[in-house]
Amino acid sequence: MKTILITGCSSGYGLETARLFHAKGWNVVATMRTPQAEIMLAGDRLRVLPLDVTQSASIAQALDLAGPIDVLVNNAGIGLFGAFEATPMGIVREIFETNTFGTMAMTQAVLPQFRARRSGLVINLTSTATMAPFPLVAAYTASKTAIEGFTESLALELADFGVRIKLVEPGYGPSTRFAANGVERMQGLIPDPYMAYAQSVFAAFGAATAVTTETAVAEAVWHAANDPAATLRYPAGDDAIALAQAR
């Protein structure tokens, strides 16, 4: 029976992925900054642990409590909409601390046990913003594009140890809390000169018919975790699949 540790399980993709793997018979370690056991399905193969991926002590404690794992899913992330001109560099750094450095720190922390066992899999969630340019998400896109390059390079250096690393690339997920989770930090990030353009962008997003659901992402993670092929990228969602095919 395999064990998977998933970051960012309080809602959205992380929560749905934890539920799917638990339903499929895996041991699941669902982590989040503020544990909410009540949002998870009950089960003796499920543990909910506190984890802040921006804090090294929190990472060490969570991995110690989790014990040996077979798969790490780096899902924890922060969303951001706004004109880059109006985005303070402090907020840009905050986005990178979670989306980029948090993913790197979690990966680095599990590699010793994976390398010693000569097995293990890391799955990093990025975004279709890395496939095609999207406006008003420049800092967010940069944080996720960094993980694409990180994963591509790391896949090569880990191969000789039997350790694999993969990417799941979700599309636009209007049913997630991407924007809601960042409402406070996004205040004032669309100043008047950008307002008309931003409204047209939001209207286009609202009219999108091909989108990504939490279920589609969870299924893509399941596929990546169980696919023995050397595939690096797994688009998740109808819009993501269409973009990947176009790319």
Side-chain angles (χ1 to χ4, degrees):
M1 189 180 297
K2 292 186 176 181
T3 299
I4 186 170
L5 186 150
I6 307 163
T7 68
C9 289
S10 62
S11 65
Y13 303 148
L15 176 59
E16 191 63 26
T17 300
R19 287 173 172 170
L20 176 62
F21 276 80
H22 185 260
K24 296 280 191 178
W26 283 47
N27 293 319
V28 175
V29 182
T31 70
M32 57 196 77
R33 282 179 297 182
T34 304
Q36 304 173 61
E38 66 276 7
I39 69 175
M40 306 297 298
L41 297 174
D44 57 1
R45 290 178 288 98
L46 171 69
R47 281 186 291 166
V48 178
L49 297 179
L51 172 61
D52 182 341
V53 300
T54 69
Q55 301 296 322
S56 58
S58 180
I59 291 173
Q61 180 182 48
L63 290 178
D64 183 59
L65 292 172
I69 64 172
D70 300 285
V71 178
L72 165 67
V73 177
N74 284 311
N75 165 75
I78 297 175
L80 185 72
F81 282 115
F84 182 73
E85 178 186 341
T87 305
M89 287 306 299
I91 290 179
V92 174
R93 292 187 177 94
E94 183 182 355
I95 295 298
F96 270 78
E97 281 294 338
T98 296
N99 296 359
T100 308
F101 303 135
T103 292
M104 289 180 170
M106 282 299 300
T107 301
Q108 190 175 65
V110 302
L111 287 183
Q113 63 168 290
F114 285 0
R115 177 180 49 76
R117 289 204 314 263
R118 301 191 68 83
S119 69
L121 171 64
V122 177
I123 300 174
N124 293 330
L125 269 68
T126 57
S127 168
T128 50
T130 66
M131 297 185 193
F134 290 90
L136 303 179
V137 289
Y140 173 81
T141 298
S143 72
K144 291 295 189 178
T145 301
I147 292 303
E148 293 263 331
F150 166 72
T151 303
E152 289 175 330
S153 180
L154 197 55
L156 299 177
E157 75 183 71
L158 296 178
D160 282 350
F161 300 106
V163 179
R164 298 178 299 154
I165 185 165
K166 300 186 175 188
L167 291 160
V168 168
E169 301 168 317
Y172 170 53
S175 60
T176 68
R177 296 176 61 187
F178 177 90
N181 285 338
V183 167
E184 185 174 341
R185 77 175 59 85
M186 286 188 275
Q187 293 296 319
L189 297 192
I190 302 179
D192 287 343
Y194 288 90
M195 189 61 68
Y197 177 66
Q199 288 173 345
S200 69
V201 171
F202 295 148
F205 277 132
T209 55
V211 296
T212 295
T213 65
E214 290 91 334
T215 299
V217 174
E219 289 174 347
V221 174
W222 173 260
H223 182 199
N226 292 279
D227 185 4
T231 305
L232 178 67
R233 290 182 169 84
Y234 297 79
D238 291 343
D239 54 335
I241 292 171
L243 274 174
Q245 290 172 341
R247 182 177 62 179

